[in-house]
Amino acid sequence: WNKFEDLRSIYFTTVLLEKRISNERAIFDIDLFEKIAKGKSVICLNAVFGIQFISERYEYENDLVNCIEEIHIGLQYIDDIEDFKKDILEKQWTYPQFLLEEYLKNQQISIEDASIKHKYLYLSNIASESFYKAIFHFKNASKIAKYLELNDLEEYLKVQINFVNFHLNEIEYLKLKAKYAAQKSNEFLEKQTISESIKRGIAFLDKNRNEDNTWSDFMTS
């Protein structure tokens, strides 16, 4: 119970820190992000301390604590991307928001609309980088789980890594889709002869064929 009180104190301190950062829209760095991610999930560590107390075995404490912290840092990266628009509307200041604001400032772009900011989150590669960092932390946790022979936990982490890789593929497909859509003309030509139409059609196909001489008009998962 003493451990639980310590963890609860860390949790409430973290919540207050997060609220202060949101109110001040403070400068965010990766160390601060990870500190908040650990602090918000710190109550989970009580499972480790409780099991240790019951079993009277303490030799795996550091490994188990590190494993849980790595998992929750990875989950926080994912949550901040998935809840990006919601966090803006609820005035919750997050690490990806800070990174995006810095990106937009460097590009001399001014945007207030949360939906447009959401698109820039992906176009700027901030979303992809966050997902890659999530995978990095899940793999760290997976190494610990493998070492401790926690097979179910290792399997869970494989599922999480596959889930994030799926999202990374989707992002690349969406970028390609947007690129192809931007290249297509919206201009309607009047009084175009059949010969002209054929020439333009052939030119379009020739320009847009893939390296293996195939074509794709749209992409799906």
Side-chain angles (χ1 to χ4, degrees):
W1 286 108
N2 290 336
K3 281 283 191 182
F4 177 72
E5 287 301 319
D6 292 341
L7 298 177
R8 195 169 68 151
S9 175
I10 294 170
Y11 171 76
F12 284 115
T13 300
T14 304
V15 170
L16 291 173
L17 172 63
E18 191 175 41
K19 289 184 182 298
R20 179 175 63 78
I21 289 170
S22 290
N23 290 335
E24 297 174 0
R25 290 174 69 86
I27 294 174
F28 237 121
D29 60 30
I30 196 164
D31 291 331
L32 181 58
F33 167 81
E34 291 188 6
K35 178 181 179 181
I36 290 173
K38 291 177 185 179
K40 286 167 66 175
S41 60
V42 74
I43 298 298
C44 295
L45 301 183
N46 211 54
V48 175
F49 302 134
I51 291 169
Q52 284 186 154
F53 181 78
I54 293 168
S55 65
E56 297 184 346
R57 293 185 64 184
Y58 300 88
E59 63 268 35
Y60 299 116
E61 179 178 314
N62 289 336
D63 287 326
L64 290 168
V65 167
N66 289 337
C67 185
I68 291 172
E69 287 180 341
E70 291 284 351
I71 291 169
H72 282 282
I73 291 171
L75 291 173
Q76 191 64 57
Y77 274 114
I78 296 170
D79 287 346
D80 281 354
I81 298 302
E82 290 185 338
D83 296 341
F84 183 80
K85 280 200 290 187
K86 176 171 163 284
D87 288 335
I88 290 177
L89 297 173
E90 294 179 355
K91 302 189 185 304
Q92 177 81 23
W93 185 236
T94 63
Y95 186 44
Q97 284 183 57
F98 169 76
L99 293 176
L100 181 63
E101 291 300 328
E102 290 295 298
Y103 171 84
L104 294 174
K105 186 165 66 176
N106 290 335
Q107 298 294 320
Q108 298 182 325
I109 300 171
S110 179
I111 300 170
E112 295 299 327
D113 190 302
S115 295
I116 297 176
K117 283 185 177 181
H118 189 240
K119 291 179 181 179
Y120 269 99
L121 178 72
Y122 290 89
L123 292 172
S124 64
N125 286 327
I126 291 169
S128 295
E129 288 169 8
S130 293
F131 284 138
Y132 280 121
K133 287 173 181 171
I135 289 174
F136 171 78
H137 288 284
F138 287 151
K139 285 183 175 179
N140 286 345
S142 185
K143 288 176 186 175
I144 299 171
K146 185 179 183 67
Y147 163 69
L148 296 176
E149 298 183 0
L150 299 173
N151 299 328
D152 288 346
L153 181 57
E154 191 182 359
E155 191 60 36
Y156 163 80
L157 289 163
K158 284 181 184 176
V159 171
Q160 293 301 311
I161 291 168
N162 288 337
F163 169 77
V164 179
N165 276 321
F166 170 80
H167 275 283
L168 284 166
N169 288 331
E170 288 294 286
I171 291 169
E172 291 308 309
Y173 277 133
L174 286 170
K175 284 182 182 176
L176 281 172
K177 190 174 181 180
K179 179 183 175 183
Y180 290 145
Q183 290 174 348
K184 292 182 179 179
S185 172
N186 293 317
E187 181 183 355
F188 288 91
L189 301 178
E190 296 182 1
K191 297 180 180 178
Q192 185 172 315
T193 67
I194 291 174
S195 295
E196 288 171 335
S197 295
I198 291 171
K199 285 180 182 178
R200 286 178 179 273
I202 291 171
F204 177 82
L205 290 172
D206 187 49
K207 179 184 174 184
N208 289 283
R209 61 182 171 167
N210 301 318
E211 289 183 2
D212 62 352
N213 292 321
T214 60
W215 294 268
S216 55
D217 186 51
F218 62 91
M219 286 159 284
T220 59
S221 300

